[in-house]
Amino acid sequence: MASEVKVPTLGESVSEATVGQWLKQPGEAVALDEPIASLETDKVAVEVPSPVAGVMGQQLVKEGDTVAVGAVIAVIDDAGSGAKAAPAAAPAAAAPVAAAPSVESTTLSPAVRRAVLEHGIDPAKVVGTGKDGRLTKEDVLEAAKKAGEAPAAPVAAPVAATPAAPGRHEERVKMTRLRQTIAKRLKEAQDTAAMLTTFNDVDMGEVMAMRERYRDLFEKKHGVRLGFMSFFTKAVALAARDIPAVNARIDGDEIVYHNYLDVSVAVSAPNGLVVPVVRNADSMGFAEIEKAIADLGKRAKDGTLTMEDMKGGTFTISNGGVFGGLMSTPIINPPQSAVLGLHRIEDRPVVRNGQIVIRPMMYLALSYDHRLIDGREAVTFLKTVKEAIEDPGRLLVDL
């Protein structure tokens, strides 16, 4: 007896998805509710659980196919019949695997598969650190690094025997649904909003000193590290009270003002940049903000963010400094009207009290929709954020 596996409900207004990865192959044992496939929607990856315990049967669609909600994508065979066949097939398959590892037969994401091929790594010999022990790109790169540090061994011969295409070559990889959506939304933002970016720089000395002073006590009490994001989130909340247009949006011929601050935090995920939301950030304390951001960042890396995590958002903070970026012009996240870009901290000479001194400086960039936000408001908002960061006491006394 076989049970059908159908595409689950993916969220409000989401009717289809792309099959990103099969997590189980035909003949493998499957437990009840165990993920057998990963689907990519416009915003997040969604795992499809098995409705029954049994053995993975036929896969009715391929990776990269578009499937609708409710569509049957696979069947799970009854454990009684399929479980006996699976062990018998294992010994026969062992010989060719030992002779030459097959990347195609391993459940790998496109990025991981590409890294495996580029570095000549046997995925079967690498311990995965991803969700449910899956292999990540970082695992492959770490294995390649270790292999490079180790002395050359005879086992490298099979890799050398594999014929390689000489000269220049190209590779075509289909864009993921998430990447297509990112491209579409960013282009729509440029085509719709009258975007403009204003810059300032901020002396990070006081915040860095405060972090150093309270780091251990903060982490001991709250179980999370005190980072820069909580300071900037609180500074944005403070500035948005004086300049509410920055936290508003245009809806037709109306302006919608929010008396709350839901901050979209741009974080890097395996399939691209995502912007989960920290809700009611204006009413949160430093520890609550840090915990919320840490949780969203971890779930983005694990690919476990939900549609609900991505909904809404009234203002975005994007920290390109973690990648070493010195300056950028971030793009608005529609329908929001502004985004604050943070960058790397760099020691630079500045003038203080008539003297040239070296200070840890960071460039700030505020991109905004000029249809709603005037230049004076944008500059005032960014100046308020700068003053709050350079004098963190303002965050405590609401100045």
Side-chain angles (χ1 to χ4, degrees), residues 112 123 126-140 142 146 298 301-302:
V112 173
V126 182
V127 178
T129 61
K131 183 177 175 61
D132 297 328
R134 294 176 208 159
L135 211 59
T136 66
K137 183 179 179 181
E138 289 71 22
D139 295 332
V140 177
E142 182 64 24
K146 291 180 179 178
K298 181 179 184 302
K301 183 177 180 181
D302 294 341

Side-chain angles (χ1 to χ4, degrees), residues 133-349:
R134 294 176 208 159
L135 211 59
T136 66
K137 183 179 179 181
E138 289 71 22
D139 295 332
V140 177
L141 296 178
E142 182 64 24
K145 179 181 178 182
K146 291 180 179 178
E149 295 172 351
V155 293
V159 176
T162 303
R168 297 161 20 128
H169 66 279
E170 296 179 349
E171 178 185 7
R172 289 181 179 268
V173 179
K174 186 176 180 180
M175 292 175 68
T176 64
R177 180 174 290 271
L178 176 60
R179 175 53 62 185
Q180 292 179 48
T181 301
I182 291 173
K184 180 181 177 181
R185 284 176 58 81
L186 291 179
K187 186 57 182 171
E188 285 178 349
Q190 289 183 318
D191 292 342
T192 303
M195 252 195 320
L196 186 63
T197 303
T198 186
F199 300 93
N200 212 323
D201 62 359
V202 58
D203 188 332
M204 296 293 293
E206 290 298 321
V207 166
M208 293 173 69
M210 182 175 288
R211 284 185 67 211
E212 183 66 27
R213 188 180 312 127
Y214 298 116
R215 173 168 35 193
D216 294 339
L217 287 174
F218 187 89
E219 187 168 358
K220 182 178 179 180
K221 180 176 181 178
H222 300 292
V224 66
R225 295 179 60 188
L226 178 59
F228 293 127
M229 285 296 289
S230 54
F231 285 94
F232 278 103
T233 301
K234 297 292 285 185
V236 165
L238 183 68
R241 293 175 192 169
D242 295 334
I243 312 294
V246 175
N247 190 41
R249 61 184 172 87
I250 293 177
D251 185 10
D253 58 356
E254 297 179 329
I255 300 174
V256 180
Y257 292 96
H258 307 100
N259 70 344
Y260 54 87
L261 177 70
D262 287 352
V263 176
S264 300
V265 183
V267 295
S268 181
N271 293 328
L273 191 72
V274 294
V275 278
V277 180
V278 178
R279 306 190 191 283
N280 299 310
D282 54 319
S283 61
M284 285 183 170
F286 283 80
E288 292 175 299
I289 294 172
E290 293 294 349
K291 288 178 181 179
I293 293 176
D295 175 64
L296 292 173
K298 181 179 184 302
R299 289 196 283 133
K301 183 177 180 181
D302 294 341
T304 58
L305 288 173
T306 66
M307 298 293 290
E308 190 62 30
D309 294 324
M310 313 290 288
K311 284 183 180 179
T314 61
F315 185 91
T316 294
I317 300 178
S318 178
N319 186 5
V322 296
F323 304 110
L326 178 63
M327 186 179 290
S328 67
T329 55
I331 298 178
I332 295 169
N333 179 24
Q336 299 172 20
S337 297
V339 51
L340 177 66
L342 311 182
H343 303 88
R344 77 170 185 250
I345 301 171
E346 188 174 62
D347 285 343
R348 290 200 298 270

Side-chain angles (χ1 to χ4, degrees), residues 230-231 234-235 238 286 388-389 391-399:
S230 54
F231 285 94
K234 297 292 285 185
L238 183 68
F286 283 80
I389 295 299
D391 182 7
R394 288 172 173 263
L395 300 176
L396 302 178
V397 296
D398 196 15
L399 286 178

